[in-house]
Every structure is written in structure tokens, then in C-alpha cells.
Coordinates of all heavy atoms in Angstrom, one line a residue:
M8 N 18.3 21.8 -3.2 CA 18.6 22.9 -4.1 C 17.7 22.9 -5.3 O 17.7 23.9 -6.0 CB 20.1 22.7 -4.6 CG 21.1 23.1 -3.6 SD 22.8 23.1 -4.3 CE 22.8 24.7 -5.0
G9 N 16.9 21.9 -5.5 CA 15.9 21.9 -6.5 C 16.5 21.8 -7.9 O 17.4 21.0 -8.1
D10 N 16.1 22.7 -8.8 CA 16.6 22.7 -10.2 C 17.8 23.6 -10.3 O 17.8 24.6 -11.0 CB 15.5 23.0 -11.2 CG 14.5 21.9 -11.3 OD1 14.9 20.8 -11.3 OD2 13.3 22.3 -11.4
A11 N 18.8 23.4 -9.6 CA 20.0 24.2 -9.6 C 20.8 23.9 -10.8 O 20.9 22.8 -11.3 CB 20.9 24.0 -8.4
A12 N 21.4 25.0 -11.4 CA 22.3 24.8 -12.5 C 23.7 25.0 -12.1 O 24.0 25.9 -11.2 CB 21.9 25.8 -13.6
A13 N 24.6 24.2 -12.6 CA 26.0 24.4 -12.2 C 26.9 24.4 -13.5 O 26.5 23.8 -14.5 CB 26.4 23.2 -11.3
A14 N 28.0 25.0 -13.4 CA 28.9 25.0 -14.5 C 30.3 24.9 -13.9 O 30.5 25.0 -12.7 CB 28.8 26.4 -15.2
S15 N 31.3 24.5 -14.7 CA 32.6 24.4 -14.2 C 33.2 25.8 -14.0 O 33.6 26.4 -14.9 CB 33.5 23.6 -15.3 OG 33.0 22.3 -15.4
E16 N 33.2 26.2 -12.8 CA 33.8 27.4 -12.4 C 34.4 27.3 -11.1 O 34.1 26.4 -10.3 CB 32.7 28.5 -12.4 CG 31.6 28.3 -11.3 CD 30.6 29.4 -11.3 OE1 29.9 29.5 -12.3 OE2 30.5 30.1 -10.3
R17 N 35.4 28.1 -10.8 CA 36.1 28.1 -9.5 C 35.5 29.1 -8.6 O 35.1 30.2 -9.0 CB 37.6 28.3 -9.7 CG 38.2 27.3 -10.6 CD 39.7 27.5 -10.6 NE 40.4 26.5 -11.4 CZ 40.8 25.3 -10.9 NH1 40.7 25.1 -9.6 NH2 41.4 24.4 -11.7
Y18 N 35.4 28.7 -7.4 CA 34.9 29.6 -6.3 C 36.0 30.3 -5.6 O 37.0 29.7 -5.4 CB 34.0 28.8 -5.3 CG 32.8 28.2 -6.0 CD1 32.7 26.9 -6.4 CD2 31.7 29.0 -6.2 CE1 31.6 26.4 -7.0 CE2 30.5 28.5 -6.8 CZ 30.5 27.2 -7.2 OH 29.4 26.7 -7.8
Q19 N 35.8 31.5 -5.4 CA 36.9 32.3 -4.8 C 37.0 32.0 -3.3 O 38.1 32.1 -2.7 CB 36.6 33.8 -5.0 CG 36.6 34.2 -6.4 CD 37.8 33.9 -7.2 OE1 38.9 34.2 -6.6 NE2 37.7 33.4 -8.4
E20 N 35.9 31.7 -2.6 CA 35.9 31.4 -1.2 C 35.7 29.9 -0.9 O 34.8 29.3 -1.5 CB 34.8 32.2 -0.5 CG 34.9 33.7 -0.7 CD 36.1 34.2 0.1 OE1 36.5 33.7 1.1 OE2 36.7 35.2 -0.5
K21 N 36.5 29.3 -0.1 CA 36.4 27.9 0.2 C 35.1 27.6 0.9 O 34.5 26.6 0.6 CB 37.6 27.5 1.1 CG 37.6 26.0 1.5 CD 38.8 25.7 2.3 CE 38.8 24.2 2.6 NZ 39.9 23.8 3.5
Q22 N 34.6 28.5 1.7 CA 33.4 28.3 2.4 C 32.2 28.1 1.4 O 31.3 27.3 1.6 CB 33.1 29.4 3.4 CG 34.0 29.4 4.6 CD 33.8 30.7 5.4 OE1 33.3 31.7 5.0 NE2 34.2 30.5 6.7
E23 N 32.2 28.9 0.4 CA 31.1 28.9 -0.6 C 31.1 27.5 -1.3 O 30.1 26.9 -1.5 CB 31.3 30.0 -1.6 CG 30.2 30.1 -2.7 CD 30.5 31.2 -3.7 OE1 31.5 31.9 -3.7 OE2 29.6 31.3 -4.6
A24 N 32.3 27.1 -1.7 CA 32.5 25.8 -2.4 C 32.0 24.6 -1.4 O 31.3 23.7 -1.9 CB 33.9 25.5 -2.8
E25 N 32.4 24.7 -0.2 CA 32.0 23.7 0.8 C 30.5 23.7 1.0 O 29.9 22.6 1.2 CB 32.7 23.8 2.1 CG 34.2 23.5 2.0 CD 35.0 23.8 3.3 OE1 34.5 24.6 4.1 OE2 36.1 23.3 3.4
K26 N 29.9 24.8 1.0 CA 28.4 24.9 1.2 C 27.7 24.3 0.1 O 26.7 23.5 0.2 CB 28.0 26.4 1.3 CG 26.5 26.6 1.5 CD 26.3 28.1 1.6 CE 24.8 28.4 1.7 NZ 24.5 29.8 1.7
I27 N 28.1 24.5 -1.2 CA 27.5 23.9 -2.3 C 27.8 22.4 -2.4 O 26.9 21.7 -2.7 CB 28.0 24.6 -3.6 CG1 27.5 26.1 -3.6 CG2 27.6 23.9 -4.9 CD1 28.1 26.9 -4.7
A28 N 29.0 22.0 -2.0 CA 29.3 20.6 -2.0 C 28.4 19.8 -1.0 O 27.9 18.8 -1.3 CB 30.7 20.4 -1.7
A29 N 28.2 20.5 0.2 CA 27.3 19.8 1.2 C 25.9 19.8 0.7 O 25.2 18.7 0.9 CB 27.4 20.7 2.5
A30 N 25.4 20.8 0.0 CA 24.0 20.8 -0.5 C 23.8 19.7 -1.6 O 22.7 19.2 -1.8 CB 23.7 22.1 -1.1
C31 N 24.9 19.4 -2.3 CA 24.8 18.4 -3.4 C 25.0 17.0 -3.0 O 24.7 16.0 -3.7 CB 25.9 18.7 -4.5 SG 25.6 20.3 -5.3
K32 N 25.6 16.8 -1.8 CA 26.0 15.4 -1.3 C 24.7 14.5 -1.2 O 23.7 14.9 -0.7 CB 26.6 15.5 0.1 CG 27.3 14.2 0.5 CD 28.1 14.4 1.7 CE 28.8 13.1 2.0 NZ 29.9 13.3 2.9
G33 N 24.9 13.4 -1.8 CA 23.8 12.4 -1.8 C 22.7 12.6 -2.9 O 21.8 11.9 -3.0
Q34 N 22.9 13.7 -3.7 CA 21.9 14.0 -4.7 C 22.4 13.4 -6.1 O 23.5 13.1 -6.2 CB 21.8 15.5 -4.9 CG 21.4 16.2 -3.6 CD 20.0 15.9 -3.2 OE1 19.1 15.7 -4.0 NE2 19.8 15.7 -1.9
T35 N 21.5 13.3 -7.0 CA 21.9 12.8 -8.3 C 22.0 14.0 -9.2 O 21.5 15.1 -9.0 CB 20.8 11.9 -8.9 OG1 19.5 12.6 -9.0 CG2 20.6 10.6 -8.1
A36 N 22.8 13.8 -10.2 CA 23.1 14.9 -11.2 C 22.9 14.4 -12.6 O 23.1 13.2 -12.9 CB 24.5 15.5 -11.0
T37 N 22.5 15.3 -13.5 CA 22.4 15.0 -14.9 C 23.2 15.9 -15.7 O 23.2 17.1 -15.6 CB 20.9 15.2 -15.4 OG1 20.1 14.3 -14.5 CG2 20.7 14.8 -16.8
V38 N 24.1 15.3 -16.6 CA 24.9 16.1 -17.5 C 24.1 16.5 -18.7 O 23.6 15.6 -19.4 CB 26.2 15.4 -17.9 CG1 27.0 16.2 -18.9 CG2 27.0 15.0 -16.6
K39 N 23.9 17.8 -18.9 CA 23.1 18.2 -20.0 C 23.9 18.6 -21.3 O 23.4 18.4 -22.4 CB 22.2 19.4 -19.6 CG 21.2 19.0 -18.6 CD 20.3 20.2 -18.3 CE 19.2 19.7 -17.3 NZ 18.2 20.7 -17.2
T40 N 25.1 19.1 -21.1 CA 25.9 19.5 -22.2 C 27.4 19.2 -21.9 O 27.8 19.2 -20.7 CB 25.8 21.0 -22.6 OG1 26.3 21.7 -21.5 CG2 24.4 21.4 -23.0
V41 N 28.1 18.8 -22.9 CA 29.5 18.6 -22.8 C 30.2 19.3 -23.9 O 29.8 19.2 -25.1 CB 29.8 17.0 -22.9 CG1 31.3 16.8 -22.9 CG2 29.1 16.3 -21.8
E42 N 31.3 20.0 -23.6 CA 32.1 20.7 -24.6 C 33.4 19.9 -24.7 O 34.0 19.5 -23.7 CB 32.5 22.1 -24.2 CG 31.3 23.1 -24.4 CD 31.8 24.5 -24.1 OE1 33.0 24.8 -24.3 OE2 30.9 25.3 -23.7
R43 N 33.8 19.7 -26.0 CA 35.1 19.0 -26.2 C 35.9 19.8 -27.1 O 35.4 20.3 -28.2 CB 34.8 17.6 -26.8 CG 36.0 16.8 -26.9 CD 35.6 15.4 -27.3 NE 36.7 14.5 -27.3 CZ 36.7 13.3 -27.4 NH1 35.6 12.6 -27.6 NH2 37.8 12.6 -27.3
R44 N 37.1 20.1 -26.8 CA 38.0 20.9 -27.6 C 39.3 20.1 -27.8 O 39.8 19.4 -27.0 CB 38.4 22.2 -26.9 CG 37.2 23.0 -26.6 CD 37.7 24.3 -25.9 NE 36.5 24.9 -25.3 CZ 36.6 25.9 -24.4 NH1 37.8 26.3 -23.9 NH2 35.5 26.4 -23.9
E45 N 39.8 20.2 -29.0 CA 41.1 19.6 -29.3 C 42.2 20.6 -29.1 O 42.1 21.8 -29.4 CB 41.2 19.1 -30.8 CG 40.3 17.9 -31.0 CD 40.7 17.2 -32.3 OE1 41.9 17.3 -32.7 OE2 39.8 16.7 -32.9
K46 N 43.2 20.2 -28.4 CA 44.3 21.1 -28.1 C 45.6 20.3 -28.4 O 45.8 19.2 -28.1 CB 44.3 21.4 -26.6 CG 45.3 22.3 -26.1 CD 45.1 22.6 -24.6 CE 46.2 23.5 -24.2 NZ 46.1 23.8 -22.7
S47 N 46.5 21.1 -29.1 CA 47.8 20.4 -29.4 C 48.9 21.3 -28.9 O 48.8 22.5 -28.8 CB 47.9 20.3 -30.9 OG 47.9 21.5 -31.6
E48 N 49.9 20.6 -28.4 CA 51.1 21.3 -27.9 C 52.3 20.7 -28.5 O 52.4 19.5 -28.8 CB 51.2 21.2 -26.3 CG 50.1 21.8 -25.6 CD 50.2 21.6 -24.1 OE1 51.2 21.2 -23.6 OE2 49.2 21.9 -23.4
K49 N 53.3 21.5 -28.7 CA 54.6 21.0 -29.2 C 55.3 20.2 -28.1 O 55.2 20.6 -26.9 CB 55.5 22.1 -29.6 CG 55.1 22.8 -30.9 CD 56.1 23.9 -31.3 CE 55.7 24.6 -32.6 NZ 56.7 25.5 -33.0
A50 N 55.9 19.1 -28.5 CA 56.7 18.3 -27.5 C 57.9 19.2 -27.0 O 58.5 19.9 -27.8 CB 57.1 17.0 -28.1
P51 N 58.3 19.0 -25.8 CA 59.5 19.7 -25.3 C 60.7 19.3 -26.1 O 60.8 18.1 -26.5 CB 59.6 19.4 -23.8 CG 58.8 18.1 -23.7 CD 57.7 18.1 -24.7
A52 N 61.7 20.2 -26.2 CA 62.9 19.8 -26.9 C 63.7 18.7 -26.1 O 63.6 18.7 -24.9 CB 63.8 21.1 -27.0
L53 N 64.3 17.9 -26.9 CA 65.1 16.8 -26.3 C 66.3 17.3 -25.6 O 66.9 18.3 -26.2 CB 65.4 15.7 -27.3 CG 64.2 15.0 -27.9 CD1 64.7 14.1 -29.0 CD2 63.4 14.2 -26.9
Y54 N 66.7 16.8 -24.5 CA 67.9 17.2 -23.8 C 69.1 16.5 -24.5 O 69.1 15.3 -24.7 CB 67.9 16.9 -22.4 CG 69.1 17.3 -21.6 CD1 69.3 18.6 -21.3 CD2 70.0 16.4 -21.1 CE1 70.4 19.1 -20.6 CE2 71.1 16.8 -20.4 CZ 71.3 18.1 -20.1 OH 72.4 18.5 -19.4
D55 N 70.1 17.2 -24.8 CA 71.3 16.7 -25.5 C 72.3 16.3 -24.4 O 72.9 17.1 -23.7 CB 72.0 17.8 -26.4 CG 73.2 17.2 -27.1 OD1 73.5 16.0 -27.0 OD2 73.8 18.0 -27.8
L56 N 72.5 14.9 -24.2 CA 73.4 14.4 -23.2 C 74.8 14.7 -23.5 O 75.7 14.6 -22.6 CB 73.1 12.9 -23.0 CG 71.7 12.5 -22.5 CD1 71.6 11.0 -22.5 CD2 71.5 13.1 -21.1
N57 N 75.2 15.0 -24.7 CA 76.6 15.2 -25.1 C 77.0 16.7 -24.9 O 78.2 17.0 -24.9 CB 76.8 14.9 -26.5 CG 76.7 13.4 -26.7 OD1 77.2 12.6 -25.9 ND2 76.1 13.0 -27.8
S58 N 76.1 17.6 -24.6 CA 76.4 19.0 -24.5 C 77.4 19.3 -23.3 O 78.3 20.1 -23.5 CB 75.2 19.9 -24.4 OG 74.4 19.6 -23.3
P59 N 77.2 18.6 -22.2 CA 78.2 18.9 -21.1 C 79.6 18.5 -21.5 O 80.6 19.1 -21.2 CB 77.7 18.1 -19.9 CG 76.3 17.9 -20.2 CD 76.1 17.8 -21.6
R60 N 79.7 17.4 -22.3 CA 81.0 16.9 -22.7 C 81.7 17.9 -23.7 O 82.9 18.0 -23.8 CB 80.9 15.5 -23.4 CG 80.4 14.5 -22.4 CD 80.4 13.1 -23.0 NE 79.6 12.2 -22.1 CZ 79.0 11.2 -22.5 NH1 79.1 10.8 -23.8 NH2 78.4 10.4 -21.7
K61 N 80.9 18.5 -24.6 CA 81.4 19.4 -25.6 C 82.0 20.6 -24.9 O 82.9 21.3 -25.5 CB 80.3 19.8 -26.6 CG 79.8 18.7 -27.4 CD 78.7 19.1 -28.3 CE 78.2 18.0 -29.2 NZ 77.0 18.4 -30.0
N62 N 81.4 21.0 -23.8 CA 81.9 22.2 -23.1 C 83.1 21.9 -22.2 O 83.5 22.8 -21.4 CB 80.8 22.8 -22.3 CG 79.6 23.3 -23.2 OD1 79.9 23.7 -24.3 ND2 78.4 23.3 -22.7
G63 N 83.6 20.7 -22.3 CA 84.8 20.4 -21.5 C 84.5 20.0 -20.1 O 85.4 20.0 -19.2
Q64 N 83.3 19.6 -19.8 CA 83.0 19.2 -18.4 C 83.0 17.7 -18.3 O 82.7 16.9 -19.0 CB 81.6 19.7 -18.0 CG 81.6 21.2 -18.0 CD 80.2 21.8 -17.6 OE1 79.3 21.1 -17.7 NE2 80.2 23.0 -17.3

């Protein structure tokens, strides 16, 4: 493949991805850039174990 450039992208066709994977097999790769992002998510709400008892169950 020579000086091929790759990026993190998804291929729509499985055959295309397999073709590229076969061409890369046994080759070396160099990471030129890395992006890092901070992401925060709220924790899920805690489940109240007493709620079924309060409803008479």
C-alpha cells in the first residue's frame, strides 16, 4: 500500500474492510496524531429497593 493514510472510520462494506485489513497484515504502522477528549456522563440514578414495599407489594 505504500504511504497509505488511514483514519478511524467505519467501512460500509465488509469486503472493503477485509481487503484493507489483508493489505495491512504483516506491515508496520506509525501513529502520527492522537486526539484525546474528556467526556463526562452523569451516573445512573440509584434503584430504590424499598419502592416495591411502599406500593404494597
Side-chain angles (χ1 to χ4, degrees):
M8 288 188 80
D10 290 322
S15 295
E16 62 182 64
R17 296 190 180 264
Y18 294 97
Q19 300 300 320
E20 300 293 326
K21 183 177 180 180
Q22 291 174 336
E23 183 182 4
E25 289 174 344
K26 181 180 175 184
I27 292 171
C31 295
K32 191 169 186 163
Q34 303 294 319
T35 57
T37 303
V38 177
K39 292 188 177 186
T40 62
V41 176
E42 282 187 30
R43 188 171 187 171
R44 299 179 194 165
E45 287 196 33
K46 183 177 178 182
S47 61
E48 296 180 12
K49 289 184 179 180
L53 297 175
Y54 182 72
D55 184 4
L56 296 175
N57 290 320
S58 61
R60 295 182 193 157
K61 292 178 184 177
N62 296 329
Q64 297 177 346

